[in-house]
Amino acid sequence: MSQKVSLKAILSLGQQASNIDYSIYSFSIREFVLYGLESFGIVGLIAYVFYRSAVAFILLSPLSILYMQQKRKELRDKRYLTLGLQFRELMNSMIASLQAGYSIENSFVHSHSDMSLLFGKNSYISLETAIIIKGMRNNGNVEDLLMDFGIRSHEDDIKDFAEMFRIAKRSGGDLPKMIKQTADIISEKMDVRRRIATIISAKKMEQSVMNLVPFGIILYIDFSSPGFFDALYHNIAGIVIMTMLLGIYLVAYMMAKKITDIKV
């Protein structure tokens, strides 16, 4: 009886889950408010340090849109990484289930339970396994469902796994063995990606600190020596100089972002 209830809950979750396109990230209300305030705070800091003008804040406000777009990209890339790590656990769970003699459908049901325990029932991988289980219950081909997941994920590892699954299932080969071989290769790639991400994260932290250093220096001098920078504000020569410095700062910021944006 408990298994029936569990399966019913999984199918209900698959019904409620939308087919996410993982290349598109939408802010939650909380994220939109949080990063919106953060972006306006950054624009306000730039307007104060470089121009000391409310008009400059209004003119520079489009920078907040660029900041929100950059933050959306960062969150999307973080979701890619999270999905990849969750998918590796799904592969390991499926291998164990198939080796234990489960059918393909029951291996997904069993793996869904494992993923829900590991990551929560509303995690990406739990929702995706629920969609696959629901699709199989509606007479869909598991290989097509996996490939659909791979296409929506925009992750080559998931698409490669789906293609291997299609070949193994249709050729009648040793499915658990072929899945394990593929899973081992994908896991090695994910380990390399994770190690690189760990190294890059330290550099990104250094970059974040360096981004704040110019503002820290100017604010320190400004508060410790009031009037020191007055000659740079509210006159044409000062505006031209500060605009040039702001342009150099933004170019350096974008270059640093590009250098640390490494794809594996």
Side-chain angles (χ1 to χ4, degrees):
M1 181 67 180
S2 61
Q3 290 182 342
K4 291 182 179 179
V5 173
S6 177
L7 181 58
K8 183 178 179 181
I10 293 172
L11 294 176
S12 175
L13 187 61
Q15 178 68 34
Q16 296 172 13
S18 59
N19 293 343
I20 303 172
D21 184 341
Y22 289 90
S23 67
I24 301 172
Y25 189 92
S26 299
F27 288 122
S28 65
I29 295 176
R30 179 181 176 277
E31 288 173 336
F32 185 81
V33 172
L34 175 63
Y35 296 126
L37 292 174
E38 193 173 293
S39 67
F40 279 110
I42 292 172
V43 171
L45 179 63
I46 292 173
Y48 176 80
V49 168
F50 285 91
Y51 299 104
R52 303 284 172 85
S53 170
V55 174
F57 176 81
I58 296 172
L59 294 176
L60 291 172
S61 58
L63 288 177
S64 64
I65 298 175
L66 297 177
Y67 178 83
M68 295 288 280
Q69 290 176 343
Q70 178 63 35
K71 185 60 66 174
R72 180 181 283 110
K73 180 179 179 297
E74 290 176 1
L75 293 173
R76 183 199 64 190
D77 291 344
K78 184 178 179 181
R79 182 170 65 178
Y80 281 147
L81 182 61
T82 299
L83 182 64
L85 294 174
Q86 291 181 357
F87 182 72
R88 179 167 65 175
E89 296 302 322
L90 173 64
M91 289 189 297
N92 292 334
S93 179
M94 284 187 61
I95 291 168
S97 298
L98 291 169
Q99 290 177 337
Y102 284 88
S103 66
I104 293 175
E105 182 176 345
N106 286 334
S107 72
F108 272 102
V109 174
H110 185 266
S111 297
H112 174 83
S113 299
D114 289 344
M115 297 304 99
S116 296
L117 288 173
L118 279 173
F119 305 112
K121 68 177 183 178
N122 291 320
S123 62
Y124 301 122
I125 203 66
S126 295
L127 294 174
E128 291 296 340
T129 50
I131 291 171
I132 291 171
I133 293 167
K134 181 177 181 295
M136 288 190 292
R137 286 279 161 163
N138 291 332
N139 298 319
N141 292 323
V142 63
E143 54 267 36
D144 293 335
L145 295 167
L146 274 172
M147 183 56 72
D148 174 68
F149 173 31
I151 292 171
R152 289 186 292 103
S153 71
H154 297 268
E155 282 287 307
D156 291 337
D157 292 336
I158 299 177
K159 287 188 279 190
D160 290 344
F161 179 83
E163 186 61 33
M164 180 284 308
F165 196 95
R166 182 195 302 275
I167 294 171
K169 189 169 182 293
R170 293 187 176 182
S171 65
D174 188 343
L175 189 59
K177 182 179 179 181
M178 294 182 70
I179 290 178
K180 187 176 188 310
Q181 290 175 342
T182 305
D184 288 342
I185 295 172
I186 292 175
S187 293
E188 289 178 4
K189 288 175 62 180
M190 288 182 176
D191 284 338
V192 172
R193 183 182 301 173
R194 185 174 59 182
R195 286 196 293 269
I196 292 176
T198 301
I199 296 171
I200 294 300
S201 64
K203 298 301 180 183
K204 286 183 177 180
M205 180 60 68
E206 292 176 10
Q207 177 204 340
S208 298
V209 173
M210 292 302 296
N211 289 339
L212 294 175
V213 167
F215 294 96
I217 293 174
I218 292 174
L219 291 174
Y220 173 77
I221 296 174
D222 187 41
F223 287 112
S224 62
S225 303
F228 187 85
F229 292 115
D230 285 354
L232 292 172
Y233 300 112
H234 308 297
N235 61 80
I236 294 178
I239 291 173
V240 171
I241 292 172
M242 295 304 270
T243 300
M244 291 174 60
L245 292 176
L246 177 59
I248 293 171
Y249 175 83
L250 292 176
V251 170
Y253 172 83
M254 290 186 289
M255 288 178 64
K257 279 286 186 183
K258 191 172 183 63
I259 290 171
T260 56
D261 187 19
I262 297 178
K263 302 296 183 183
V264 182

